Amino acid sequence: MRLLLFAVLLATGIAIGAAVPAVARFVRDNLAAAGLPKDLFTITVPPITANHEPSKAGTPPDGDDDVKKPGTPKATNGHEIGKHGYEPGEEHPEKGAIRMGPEEVAALNISVVKVEGGTLARHLLVPGAITPDTDRIARVPARVVGTVTEMRKRLGDRVAKDEIVAVLESRDVADAKSEYLIASVRAELEKTNFDRQQALWDKRISSEQVYLRTRATYTEATLRVDLASQKLSALGLSATDVAAAQKREGATLNQSTLRRYELRSSLAGRVVERKVEVGTTVGGKGDPADIYTVADLSTVWIELSVPTHELAMVREGAPVAVTHAHEAGGRHADGKVVFVSPFLNPDTRSARVIVALPNPDLAWRPGAFVTAGVEIANDAVEVHVPKAALQTVGGERVVFVRTEEGFEKREVELGRSDDDSYEVVSGLKSGATIAVANSFILKAELRKSEAGDD
């Protein structure tokens, strides 16, 4: 009975051990302890196929023709891919080459440019401040003591040259006009008398003494007219205009007309300052000396302070690139050095440099701070490339040259540089087409292909 029970347990253990290896080992150990061999009940489990049906001898199960060694990539078209990532029969590109079609280049926004010769312009960056051009700013002064009766221009108005901007009433002007008109009338009278005496003297009807006295009187009257005209000119008045006004009005020339004094702008521009109002007394001691300030801001100055050790590189006439970095988006314009001071500031040991900057839209405002790039060198080179086209691969500076299949890495030797580009000493010839914008994408693609080769 015990022998039968042991046989049942043994059969059960063998069945479980076929499925659980750990139990099988336990059973074999017990058989060994009973003196029986361990492989007495060894059971071999056939492999399970995909369709759970035994296959014919020499024929792999369904689907085994797609099973490859681990790690072998499979192409999308069903062909096996080699270790370098290219299909059998496909030509392996040279090292450093990147295959990329025109559509992919356009999709990645990789722009290209043709390499050629040119110039490298190096600049000295100096901070500066915008000021008005002193040759294009003028004041409208009150040259006489008087009272403002008209103000014809408001702040910001445009003004033409010699345009009347204000009117004063002045006693000094009335006296000067009256003196000139009286001198003119007396000179005409003395001229008439002199002409008559000269005719009589030519006929020897009058004495020489009378003739000479008449000539002296006429000469004196002429001098008085000249002196009165000079006085009008000093006041900014024209003797011709005064005489024309007297002829227009004749004997009705009144005191208000004599006192009228018109102020004119000596410069075409814009009113940037208005200092008085109607009824203000000007020209006297303690009174405002100016009525308006007119400025032509179509050209402005930029004042720079250049240190002594850099002053030798700055020359008059040099082009200057001006940048206003504080404006939204930045503003750029080109100017020119018009003056380099021969004197140094004893406190800062620097020299004053003036740059003339065109300002047609009046966007450059006096008082603003800017950065000026003064050109200090201009070198001609046979080949130069933009800085954006350069990448560093394996410690070498390279560019990516456009080919029929895509791009090719090209190591280059660089020389001089400026703000935007480098001179290429060797490795690249003029006429080649290289990638500029987004060239870092090509660098990444190159690393991926090299990693696949490894």
Side-chain angles (χ1 to χ4, degrees):
M1 184 67 180
R2 269 190 290 176
L3 184 59
L4 179 61
L5 180 60
F6 178 76
V8 172
L9 291 175
L10 182 60
T12 305
I14 291 172
I16 297 174
V20 183
V23 177
R25 285 195 299 270
F26 175 76
V27 173
R28 287 196 297 270
D29 291 341
N30 282 279
L31 290 174
L36 298 176
K38 293 182 179 182
D39 55 353
L40 178 63
F41 297 99
T42 301
I43 299 175
T44 302
V45 181
I48 301 175
T49 60
N51 55 7
H52 303 285
E53 294 181 0
S55 58
K56 296 182 180 179
T59 304
D62 294 342
D64 280 358
D65 55 346
D66 290 336
V67 178
K68 303 298 177 183
K69 295 181 181 179
T72 302
K74 181 175 181 295
T76 55
N77 57 3
H79 297 294
E80 181 178 326
I81 296 179
K83 66 177 181 178
H84 295 294
Y86 301 96
E87 298 183 10
E90 184 181 4
E91 182 182 354
H92 189 288
E94 297 180 1
K95 186 175 182 180
I98 302 171
R99 291 193 172 182
M100 187 175 292
E103 296 81 4
E104 189 175 359
V105 172
L108 295 174
N109 292 325
I110 302 175
S111 62
V112 297
V113 67
K114 190 175 182 180
V115 175
E116 55 188 10
T119 57
L120 296 179
R122 288 178 288 167
H123 294 83
L124 173 67
L125 296 181
V126 185
I130 302 176
T131 63
D133 185 344
T134 55
D135 295 332
R136 296 173 178 267
I137 188 168
R139 304 184 185 279
V140 181
R143 298 182 179 180
V144 298
V145 178
T147 303
V148 179
T149 58
E150 293 182 40
M151 293 289 288
R152 297 189 176 182
K153 294 294 179 180
R154 295 182 298 178
L155 198 64
D157 286 352
R158 294 281 181 181
V159 177
K161 186 177 180 180
D162 294 328
E163 182 180 358
I164 299 174
V165 294
V167 178
L168 308 181
E169 280 194 356
S170 171
R171 181 180 298 178
D172 294 343
V173 172
D175 293 343
K177 289 181 178 179
S178 299
E179 183 179 344
Y180 172 77
L181 292 174
I182 292 172
S184 298
V185 172
R186 184 173 179 179
E188 290 180 2
L189 178 61
E190 294 298 337
K191 184 178 185 306
T192 302
N193 191 22
F194 171 71
D195 291 341
R196 187 183 63 177
Q197 289 298 329
Q198 186 176 19
L200 293 175
W201 166 248
D202 291 340
K203 296 177 181 180
R204 297 299 187 267
I205 297 176
S206 63
S207 63
E208 182 180 4
Q209 183 178 5
V210 174
Y211 166 72
L212 293 177
R213 185 170 58 249
T214 305
R215 188 178 66 176
T217 303
Y218 171 62
T219 303
E220 180 182 356
T222 304
L223 290 176
R224 289 183 180 278
V225 172
D226 290 340
L227 291 175
S229 177
Q230 293 290 337
K231 189 174 182 179
L232 288 176
S233 179
L235 296 176
L237 297 172
S238 170
T240 304
D241 294 340
V242 173
Q246 190 272 337
K247 288 181 179 180
R248 286 196 306 270
E249 299 186 19
T252 61
L253 189 65
N254 53 40
Q255 192 66 18
S256 62
T257 304
L258 291 174
R259 291 196 301 265
R260 182 183 177 85
Y261 181 65
E262 297 174 344
L263 295 177
R264 299 175 183 269
S265 174
S266 60
L267 179 73
R270 192 178 183 190
V271 175
V272 296
E273 192 174 5
R274 173 173 165 165
K275 297 185 176 181
V276 299
E277 303 297 336
V278 174
T280 304
T281 301
V282 296
K285 187 176 181 180
D287 296 334
D290 301 329
I291 309 299
Y292 292 106
T293 300
V294 178
D296 178 9
L297 298 179
S298 60
T299 298
V300 294
W301 279 0
I302 299 177
E303 291 197 8
L304 309 177
S305 183
V306 180
T308 308
H309 64 279
E310 297 175 337
L311 191 60
M313 298 184 291
V314 179
R315 67 186 189 281
E316 292 185 1
V320 181
V322 183
T323 303
H324 193 330
H326 297 292
E327 282 196 3
R331 174 177 288 273
H332 307 275
D334 296 325
K336 183 176 66 174
V337 175
V338 295
F339 175 71
V340 178
S341 176
F343 300 103
L344 295 178
N345 187 316
D347 298 326
T348 61
R349 307 304 300 171
S350 60
R352 181 171 175 247
V353 176
I354 301 298
V355 176
L357 183 69
N359 187 29
D361 55 356
L362 306 181
W364 299 95
R365 300 179 182 276
F369 294 100
V370 297
T371 300
V374 183
E375 184 179 292
I376 57 176
N378 197 318
D379 305 319
V381 296
E382 293 183 359
V383 180
H384 70 97
V385 296
K387 289 184 176 181
L390 292 167
Q391 296 292 335
T392 302
V393 177
E396 299 291 338
R397 302 304 297 273
V398 303
V399 296
F400 292 95
V401 180
R402 190 76 167 97
T403 62
E404 294 182 357
E405 292 80 13
F407 292 91
E408 178 187 21
K409 180 188 73 173
R410 187 79 56 82
E411 295 180 1
V412 293
E413 182 181 350
L414 304 179
R416 295 164 292 182
S417 67
D418 63 3
D419 302 334
D420 303 315
S421 58
Y422 274 99
E423 175 191 13
V424 177
V425 178
S426 63
L428 192 66
K429 293 183 178 180
S430 180
T433 302
I434 62 173
V436 181
N438 293 330
S439 61
F440 64 92
I441 298 177
L442 300 175
K443 177 180 177 180
E445 290 293 328
L446 180 64
R447 285 182 175 177
K448 287 166 58 178
S449 65
E450 291 178 350
D453 291 344
D454 293 340

